[in-house]
Amino acid sequence: MKKHVPFDDAVDLLDADHKAVKKMFLDHATLCEQSGTEEGKYALAQSICQALTVHSQLEEEIFYPLVRDVIGKDELMEDALEDHAQAKEVIDQIQAMNIADPQLDSAVKVLKGLIDQHVLQEREVIFLKARYAALDLKEIAVLLFERKQELMLSAKAHASKEAI
Ligand SMILES: [Fe+2]
Ligand SMILES: [Fe+2]
C-alpha cells in the first residue's frame, strides 16, 4: 500500500514550497516598506534561506535526477542547477550577515529576483515536462515528503545549535 502524503503529487509538493517562500518574500517586502524591526526582517531572511536550502536539496537529490532520466533534456536541467548555484551564493551571503548588516534587505531582494525567475522556469517548463513524462509523481511525492522531514529536522537542530 502506498503511503499517504498531504499532496496530490511531487509537483504539488514542490509548488507548495514555492508558494510558501513567495509568501515569506512578500512578508519581508512589507516589513521593509513599513520599517519593520531588524529582528523581524532578519528572522524572516533566515527562514527564507533555510526553506530554500531544503527545497533545493530535495530537487537536486531526488526530483531533478528522476526528471533528467526520463526527459533527456540535459541542458534544461543544467540551467536549473546553475540557477540553484547562483541562489546559493546569495543564501550563503545572507546567512553570514549579522542582524544589523546594511546589505541584508537588498540581498533578500536580489534572492527574490533569482527565485522568481527560477520558479517560473520550473513551473512552465520542468513541471510540465514531468507531468507528461512516464514518471510516478505520486510515488516521488512520498520520497520528497520523507526526505523533507529529515532535512527540516536537521536544519532546525543546526539552527538551534547556532543560537546557543
Ligand atoms: Fe529549483
Ligand atoms: Fe523549485
Side-chain angles (χ1 to χ4, degrees):
M1 199 180 83
K2 277 187 185 171
K3 280 195 188 158
H4 180 72
V5 296
F7 298 95
D8 292 342
D9 62 22
V11 166
D12 184 41
L13 182 152
L14 292 172
D15 213 30
D17 279 354
H18 293 161
K19 286 178 189 148
V21 170
K22 189 179 179 75
K23 163 99 175 52
M24 286 194 277
F25 275 125
L26 290 174
D27 288 346
H28 185 272
T30 304
L31 283 181
C32 290
E33 278 165 24
Q34 297 175 350
S35 309
T37 63
E38 283 180 343
E39 286 81 5
K41 289 188 287 182
Y42 180 78
L44 206 41
Q46 300 306 327
S47 298
I48 289 169
C49 290
Q50 191 188 83
L52 285 173
T53 300
V54 169
H55 178 82
S56 302
Q57 198 173 338
L58 280 181
E59 289 182 339
E60 289 177 22
E61 277 184 15
I62 299 171
F63 188 69
Y64 284 1
L66 292 168
V67 173
R68 184 195 284 261
D69 279 351
V70 293
I71 70 171
K73 293 265 182 200
D74 280 354
E75 205 179 303
L76 185 65
M77 305 316 290
E78 291 306 318
D79 285 350
L81 290 172
E82 180 57 35
D83 287 351
H84 281 197
Q86 273 186 22
K88 188 175 182 316
E89 278 183 28
V90 184
I91 287 170
D92 287 346
Q93 287 168 15
I94 292 172
Q95 288 181 324
M97 287 177 183
N98 63 43
I99 194 162
D101 196 306
Q103 301 299 317
L104 181 63
D105 292 351
S106 58
V108 172
K109 282 182 194 137
V110 169
L111 184 60
K112 180 182 184 298
L114 291 173
I115 296 301
D116 280 352
Q117 192 57 36
H118 175 66
V119 165
L120 200 66
Q121 176 77 350
E122 283 187 340
R123 279 187 167 160
E124 296 193 349
V125 185
I126 297 175
F127 287 0
L128 281 184
K129 286 188 185 294
R131 282 215 193 274
Y132 286 106
L135 280 170
D136 187 343
L137 291 176
K138 287 194 184 299
E139 191 63 46
I140 299 169
V142 176
L143 300 177
L144 292 170
F145 187 74
E146 289 179 347
R147 184 70 179 130
K148 185 175 174 182
Q149 286 181 317
E150 283 174 12
L151 292 172
M152 295 288 290
L153 273 179
S154 66
K156 282 202 179 96
H158 184 72
S160 60
K161 219 185 268 171
E162 290 206 332
I164 292 169

